[in-house]
Amino acid sequence: KTTLMRAVLFFYTMDYSDSVLNLTSETKKSFNDWYFKEHNSHIIYNYTKDDNSYLFVVSKTSKLHYTFIDITNSNIDIKEIFIDKNRPINFEMLNETIQKNNLPSYTTTIKERYINTFHKRDEYGKKIKGESSINFALFEDIKSRKEFAKTLSNIFASSSIKSTNIKKTIVSLIDNSTA
């Protein structure tokens, strides 16, 4: 449960530092060491925006790679993208699969570029010019995502909050951000 919550927290905070993900000396492993033990490890997020379906994939070779994949018009099963002969594929094979299936995508190793790809506007309301020709933005602006991420971080850090309260808070924040 904690591992999944940290992965969700990473998605919204876009920060894998120990302090944000509440990693302590008792956890003993960094974000990279915990989630990317093997050469074929990936964190895969599936999200939708305006009737479009996307994958956001974090993979590791010598450094982290952030890949956005538009699967809106694809009939491919997500499992087929990441599994070959009942084994998870590595980053190079992921790129081959994306190309073979003509899936629109964008990959970067630069954290600021992947963060910008998720947003339409910066903290000051200025439109962000994306590196990709495809609009992978999930969030309207950086400020609203940071507010949501801060609340989610506070919920995660508090062990005294009941799960029903967490669910209500998250749902209300999502409803407010789409209103």
Side-chain angles (χ1 to χ4, degrees):
K1 183 168 101 175
T2 304
T3 300
L4 180 60
M5 282 299 295
R6 282 195 180 107
V8 170
L9 194 57
F10 167 73
F11 181 77
Y12 286 106
T13 61
M14 301 181 184
D15 189 346
Y16 46 81
S17 64
D18 292 355
S19 60
V20 170
L21 296 181
N22 200 27
L23 298 171
T24 64
S25 58
E26 294 165 11
T27 310
K28 297 190 174 88
K29 292 188 178 183
S30 71
F31 176 83
N32 287 349
D33 292 340
W34 183 261
Y35 288 96
F36 303 102
K37 295 175 191 171
E38 305 295 330
H39 70 284
N40 55 359
S41 298
H42 309 279
I43 300 177
I44 306 160
Y45 301 93
N46 185 345
Y47 67 98
T48 57
K49 179 75 173 182
D50 301 328
D51 296 325
N52 295 314
S53 295
Y54 305 105
L55 298 176
F56 172 60
V57 184
V58 184
S59 307
K60 185 178 176 191
T61 57
S62 59
K63 54 187 164 185
L64 291 181
H65 294 263
Y66 310 100
T67 304
F68 294 85
I69 308 168
D70 184 347
I71 58 169
T72 304
N73 298 315
S74 173
N75 292 327
I76 191 168
D77 181 2
I78 293 173
K79 185 178 176 182
E80 293 175 40
I81 299 172
F82 298 98
I83 305 292
D84 183 41
K85 298 176 186 161
N86 292 323
R87 298 192 42 88
I89 62 172
N90 62 29
F91 177 71
E92 290 76 21
M93 291 175 70
L94 172 61
N95 283 330
E96 290 172 17
T97 302
I98 290 169
Q99 296 301 315
K100 183 177 86 177
N101 290 284
N102 295 315
L103 298 171
S105 66
Y106 169 68
T107 299
T108 184
T109 57
I110 301 170
K111 186 177 178 180
E112 291 75 23
R113 286 188 182 161
Y114 106 76
I115 290 172
N116 285 344
T117 302
F118 262 123
H119 301 87
K120 291 183 182 177
R121 304 191 181 284
D122 66 16
E123 292 183 73
Y124 308 103
K126 183 180 174 189
K127 187 171 180 165
I128 295 173
K129 181 176 178 352
E131 300 278 329
S132 171
S133 60
I134 299 164
N135 180 8
F136 288 107
L138 175 59
F139 305 101
E140 190 61 36
D141 59 55
I142 291 175
K143 183 179 177 186
S144 63
R145 190 262 313 155
K146 281 186 173 181
E147 289 171 1
F148 179 78
K150 183 178 178 183
T151 302
L152 191 62
S153 295
N154 289 337
I155 291 168
F156 183 74
S158 175
S159 61
S160 63
I161 298 176
K162 294 181 181 177
S163 62
T164 54
N165 292 341
I166 293 171
K167 184 178 177 183
K168 286 178 187 176
T169 302
I170 291 172
V171 168
S172 72
L173 285 168
I174 291 171
D175 286 345
N176 289 339
S177 70
T178 59

